[in-house]
Amino acid sequence: MAFTHIWNQLYLYRQKITLAGLLALALLGSHTASAQQKIRVMNKPEYDYRPVHYGFYLSVPLTRYNVQHSQAYADQLADGNDDAVNAKSDLGFYTGLVLNVRLAEYLDARFVPGVGFYGRTLVFSNVETTSLETEPSMKETVSNTMIELPLLLKYKSKRRSNFRPYLVAGIKASLDLGKGNNGKTQEEIALQVDDYDLALEYGIGLDIFYPYFKFAPELRFSHGLVNVHKPVSGSTYSGYIQKLTNHNVSLIFFFE
């Protein structure tokens, strides 16, 4: 009986129910179309066709020395000594400008000069000092203010809406403008490095297009190609090192 009553009520108001249903479908369809239109709107659609564009970047690198030990280090280990020389990772900071030149549809050349501030540390354990006293552990940090001149190629994928992943690779030349040993005297210096460096760089990033600019987070790896170690006469610390190269892992934020 109750079911019959409900059916009769629906039959009496079928026109109103049908109209309300059609109105709801129309509103839902309008909302979906509007959402799809927003998704399909491409910010800065002509951006990729510019022959040249500019920008700037900020970066936080995790930096360290890669240590190749000397024969003297291997000999003392063979003699049963436990002297050790190990690298420690440190955070740095660098910033600079972007000059991007379009070479082809999916290929750009990028010159991204900047200035970097680094402090790379070696930890020496159980090494005799110049006073012939053995210290359990000592850190030697070399601070650098570097002018960096990366020249890179950027290979871009096809743009999808407002996103586009890319790969980047190239070389970076660097020049140290600071006093790498913080003004220490020659007798106090346990570690010295060259003022010049050359590194191989490669990484991956994602271009994100906004209405007024392009933002791109990038993860880049840098491997030094040059031995920056300068032997220090009379230093046991320096004698244990055959080769030092700079290595960075950087998170970079581009604004173009």
Side-chain angles (χ1 to χ4, degrees):
M1 187 71 177
F3 176 78
T4 305
H5 175 72
I6 294 172
W7 177 259
N8 289 334
Q9 291 294 107
L10 291 174
Y11 181 79
L12 290 173
Y13 295 101
R14 64 186 183 280
Q15 292 182 343
K16 293 182 179 180
I17 294 173
T18 302
L19 181 61
L22 291 174
L23 181 61
L25 288 174
L27 290 174
L28 180 60
S30 175
H31 177 74
T32 303
S34 176
Q36 291 178 347
Q37 185 179 8
K38 288 182 180 179
I39 292 174
R40 291 176 181 172
V41 170
M42 293 184 66
N43 297 323
K44 304 183 77 64
E46 303 299 322
Y47 189 91
D48 291 326
Y49 299 102
R50 297 179 183 177
V52 178
H53 68 258
Y54 308 93
F56 70 95
Y57 63 90
L58 304 171
S59 177
V60 179
L62 185 64
T63 182
R64 69 192 299 272
Y65 286 123
N66 188 37
V67 184
Q68 180 178 323
H69 297 98
S70 67
Q71 185 60 44
Y73 182 83
D75 292 342
Q76 66 88 23
L77 290 179
D79 292 339
N81 297 328
D82 58 351
D83 300 350
V85 181
N86 297 299
K88 177 179 176 293
S89 297
D90 295 280
L91 286 176
F93 173 78
Y94 66 88
T95 183
L97 303 175
V98 177
L99 171 62
N100 191 99
V101 180
R102 184 175 186 265
L103 300 179
E105 184 177 2
Y106 298 115
L107 186 66
D108 293 347
R110 290 167 70 81
F111 181 53
V112 286
V115 57
F117 304 92
Y118 303 98
R120 299 182 178 95
T121 301
L122 291 181
V123 179
F124 301 89
S125 301
N126 301 321
V127 179
E128 288 185 353
T129 64
T130 53
S131 62
L132 301 182
E133 295 179 358
T134 301
E135 296 187 6
S137 181
M138 188 191 84
K139 294 180 181 180
E140 182 75 8
T141 299
V142 178
S143 299
N144 306 105
T145 301
M146 307 292 294
I147 295 296
E148 302 187 322
L149 305 170
L151 184 59
L152 309 168
L153 289 176
K154 177 180 178 180
Y155 179 74
K156 307 173 291 186
S157 72
K158 185 176 180 180
R159 178 172 172 175
R160 303 292 182 182
S161 183
N162 290 315
F163 301 93
R164 183 183 59 209
Y166 65 86
L167 299 173
V168 65
I171 58 173
K172 179 181 72 175
S174 304
L175 172 64
D176 187 4
L177 297 182
K179 291 184 177 179
N181 297 92
N182 301 319
K184 294 181 180 179
T185 64
Q186 187 65 33
E187 290 75 17
E188 295 172 322
I189 293 174
L191 179 66
Q192 272 191 323
V193 295
D194 273 328
D195 297 333
Y196 305 96
D197 192 24
L198 184 68
L200 173 67
E201 299 210 324
Y202 57 91
I204 185 171
L206 178 66
D207 286 333
I208 305 174
F209 294 85
Y210 290 95
Y212 301 107
F213 67 96
K214 185 188 74 174
F215 170 69
E218 180 180 302
L219 183 64
R220 191 189 302 168
F221 301 88
S222 178
H223 299 282
L225 302 175
V226 176
N227 181 12
V228 298
H229 176 242
K230 293 173 66 176
V232 178
S233 178
S235 171
T236 305
Y237 303 95
S238 179
Y240 282 168
I241 299 169
Q242 180 68 31
K243 183 178 181 180
L244 285 180
T245 52
N246 297 320
H247 291 260
N248 295 348
V249 179
S250 303
L251 180 59
I252 311 173
F253 300 103
F254 288 95
F255 301 86
E256 301 176 39

